Amino acid sequence: MNAIKKLYFRYKYKMKHILLLFSFLFPVSASAQEQTLSLTQAWAKALSANQSLKAKEYEKKQYEYSYLSSLNSYLPQISLSHSFSRSGGDSSSVSNRFSASVSASQEIFNLKTISSIKISKYSLETAQISYRTALCDLRKDFFTAYLNLYFAQEKVKVSERILEIRKENAKLISLKYESGMESRGNMLYSAAQAEMAALSLRRAKRDLENYQEELSKIMGETYDKNIAAQYNLEIPSQNYSYEEILKNSFYPDLAVYEKNLASAKERLLSGKYDALPSLKASGSWSYSGDYEFPKNKSWSLGLSMSLPLFSGGPFYYYSNTNSLKNAVKSAEKKLEEAKLAYEKNLRSYLRDFENASDTARVYMGLKQADEERYKEGQIQYMAGKLSFINLENLEQNMIDSKINYLEYIKNAWLKKIALERLMGKDSL
């Protein structure tokens, strides 16, 4: 009778574990109720609705109109006027006075006005770079949230399959214990393993909800618990070199420092222009008289030159230019520091990515080996050549390898995204 029970339990154990192992190694697709978004679909949503990016877009437009407004300072200024007055007194009769005129003026030579236009243009270019910086940050945040969601989905699937295996183990070991074929310690241990697997699944589902909420926020939408990511799970290729990145990349954060330096130099020139003269031409044509549409006409043409001496005070020019000179030196040092930091970070990020990619590649081989060892251990256990504890160890190694591989490949992708942010990549 005991021999029949042993054969029954071995057969049942083997068949259930083969089915569970098959589902473990070949995961099923996501539920039809999930709102599965491809990478391009989710990115399009983020581009159209992300609030931070929209704010930067409006800021860029603000500087565009500000620059267009500054161009008018060197264009002809034309004005029309019409007036009427009525006067009288004790010794004079009441009289009316009408006048109409058109006047125009044009800056001929004013370097300070030209300098203000250039400064406005630098401000626009800085705003454009800031928008691109925001786009790079959005790409990094979006990719991170999307991949976190994808790997959280995979973690939930793995945890569900682990729980199934642990539950079946607990049931079978409990039956074998009742039949006297297993120890009480092994029975309690398998039940505890099932509880631990259930705890891991609950944690994985909570993490999934956090990442769903984060991606929804980046896409400018309310939290959707059914949102799902779809991605091709592969180890990222190492096709970067430090020299090529340094040669071909546009790092927007560094470009902002360059624009700040150019703007500081232009402001210094503008300060020096305070000591130079300006030349302006003006003219007018007018009609005046004591009735509407008068015929008494007059005109004027003029050319004026002004030379500021102490318009800001006796020490204004000296103090202002020295202040602007120090602003230029400060901008130069900040740019030098930013360049050194960029090159250092680039080398560091590149090494981190290569290390993460290599680690994921090695652990892929370890995962495959542990899967094979577990299948071999099952056969040995059925034949009575392997203890339950040893089989549990093989099973745990396979589970750990599967989870660790997911973490390592996720880390490799996140390191790649961080490197591409440093390179100024702002699109898929």
Side-chain angles (χ1 to χ4, degrees):
M1 182 67 181
N2 287 336
I4 295 175
K5 284 184 177 180
K6 286 182 180 179
L7 289 174
Y8 169 74
F9 284 128
R10 285 180 183 175
Y11 175 77
K12 184 177 180 181
Y13 182 90
K14 184 174 182 181
M15 292 305 297
K16 285 185 175 292
H17 273 69
I18 288 175
L19 293 174
L20 287 171
L21 182 64
F22 183 82
S23 68
F24 185 88
L25 299 177
F26 303 98
V28 296
S29 59
S31 171
Q33 295 179 348
E34 293 178 341
Q35 181 193 352
T36 303
L37 293 175
S38 67
L39 189 66
T40 53
Q41 289 173 331
W43 177 242
K45 286 177 174 285
L47 285 178
S48 63
N50 183 265
Q51 303 302 322
S52 297
L53 186 65
K54 285 295 180 183
K56 282 293 181 181
E57 185 177 355
Y58 288 127
E59 184 178 310
K60 183 183 68 169
K61 290 181 178 179
Q62 171 194 346
Y63 281 97
E64 287 175 356
Y65 286 113
S66 179
Y67 171 64
L68 293 174
S69 176
S70 70
L71 291 176
N72 290 277
S73 61
Y74 220 85
L75 296 176
Q77 309 297 311
I78 302 174
S79 62
L80 297 173
S81 66
H82 180 272
S83 65
F84 164 75
S85 64
R86 183 177 176 83
S87 61
D90 293 337
S91 59
S92 62
S93 59
V94 177
S95 63
N96 297 328
R97 185 71 178 175
F98 293 88
S99 67
S101 65
V102 56
S103 61
S105 63
Q106 171 67 54
E107 293 276 3
I108 297 177
F109 179 79
N110 192 332
L111 293 178
K112 194 170 181 65
T113 301
I114 296 175
S115 184
S116 67
I117 295 174
K118 290 182 179 179
I119 291 172
S120 182
K121 184 179 181 182
Y122 285 132
S123 297
L124 168 59
E125 292 171 349
T126 301
Q128 291 171 338
I129 295 171
S130 295
Y131 175 77
R132 183 166 178 180
T133 301
L135 197 56
C136 293
D137 288 335
L138 174 62
R139 180 186 185 273
K140 179 178 179 292
D141 294 341
F142 164 77
F143 249 121
T144 300
Y146 190 87
L147 290 176
N148 278 334
L149 175 58
Y150 174 78
F151 285 109
Q153 292 170 188
E154 295 299 306
K155 185 77 172 287
V156 168
K157 293 175 185 177
V158 171
S159 297
E160 287 173 342
R161 292 191 290 276
I162 290 172
L163 180 58
E164 291 174 4
I165 291 176
R166 295 300 195 196
K167 282 182 175 180
E168 289 300 323
N169 277 349
K171 290 178 182 178
L172 292 171
I173 298 304
S174 178
L175 290 173
K176 293 182 75 173
Y177 167 71
E178 292 172 1
S179 302
M181 291 185 290
E182 273 293 357
S183 68
R184 174 178 170 78
N186 286 345
M187 185 269 292
L188 294 175
Y189 181 74
S190 63
Q193 288 285 75
E195 288 297 321
M196 290 296 295
L199 174 61
S200 297
L201 177 59
R202 290 195 296 271
R203 287 177 174 175
K205 288 183 176 180
R206 293 184 189 118
D207 290 339
L208 176 62
E209 291 175 356
N210 288 335
Y211 293 130
Q212 286 173 329
E213 191 165 8
E214 179 64 21
L215 182 60
S216 297
K217 174 180 173 294
I218 290 175
M219 293 191 303
E221 298 180 347
T222 56
Y223 170 50
D224 184 0
K225 65 180 181 180
N226 294 319
I227 191 172
Q230 183 182 30
Y231 204 66
N232 186 17
L233 184 62
E234 293 180 354
I235 299 173
S237 57
Q238 299 178 8
N239 55 354
Y240 299 111
S241 70
Y242 173 76
E243 292 76 14
E244 286 297 319
I245 294 174
L246 203 60
K247 179 181 178 182
N248 299 320
S249 293
F250 174 78
Y251 185 43
D253 306 68
L254 198 61
V256 168
Y257 286 101
E258 294 172 348
K259 290 299 176 183
N260 288 341
L261 176 58
S263 180
K265 289 180 177 179
E266 191 60 44
R267 290 179 189 277
L268 175 58
L269 289 176
S270 179
K272 291 180 177 180
Y273 293 155
D274 284 335
L276 296 180
S278 61
L279 185 63
K280 184 176 183 179
S282 61
S284 65
W285 188 275
S286 63
Y287 289 87
S288 61
D290 55 1
Y291 55 88
E292 189 67 75
F293 305 111
K295 296 183 178 180
N296 299 328
K297 61 182 177 180
S298 61
W299 59 271
S300 68
L301 291 174
L303 193 64
S304 64
M305 177 180 286
S306 62
L307 177 64
L309 295 177
F310 300 109
S311 57
F315 304 109
Y316 171 78
Y317 179 81
Y318 173 81
S319 301
N320 186 53
T321 52
N322 277 282
S323 173
L324 294 171
K325 285 178 183 177
N326 282 280
V328 170
K329 292 177 181 178
S330 175
E332 288 174 342
K333 294 303 178 183
K334 288 179 180 178
L335 176 59
E336 291 173 7
E337 181 184 13
K339 285 182 177 179
L340 292 174
Y342 171 67
E343 293 174 2
K344 172 187 173 297
N345 289 336
L346 182 59
R347 287 189 292 268
S348 176
Y349 280 41
L350 184 57
R351 285 192 291 263
D352 287 347
F353 166 61
E354 290 172 345
N355 287 337
S357 182
D358 288 341
T359 302
R361 194 167 285 104
V362 169
Y363 270 83
M364 179 176 65
L366 182 62
K367 175 181 72 73
Q368 293 170 346
D370 283 333
E371 288 172 351
E372 187 65 28
R373 290 178 66 211
Y374 177 64
K375 288 188 287 186
E376 293 171 354
Q378 276 189 304
I379 296 173
Q380 293 176 8
Y381 180 75
M382 299 305 172
K385 297 179 180 180
L386 191 70
S387 68
F388 169 75
I389 294 299
N390 289 334
L391 180 64
E392 280 288 304
N393 289 336
L394 291 175
E395 181 180 287
Q396 188 62 50
N397 288 340
M398 179 189 70
I399 291 169
D400 291 341
S401 292
K402 181 77 173 177
I403 294 175
N404 288 339
Y405 175 67
L406 284 176
E407 290 298 323
Y408 285 124
I409 195 173
K410 170 186 171 182
N411 186 52
W413 274 104
L414 295 180
K415 294 295 184 183
K416 181 176 186 284
I417 294 166
L419 175 62
E420 290 176 342
R421 166 61 184 90
L422 199 63
M423 295 163 55
K425 195 166 183 180
D426 57 6
S427 62
L428 296 183

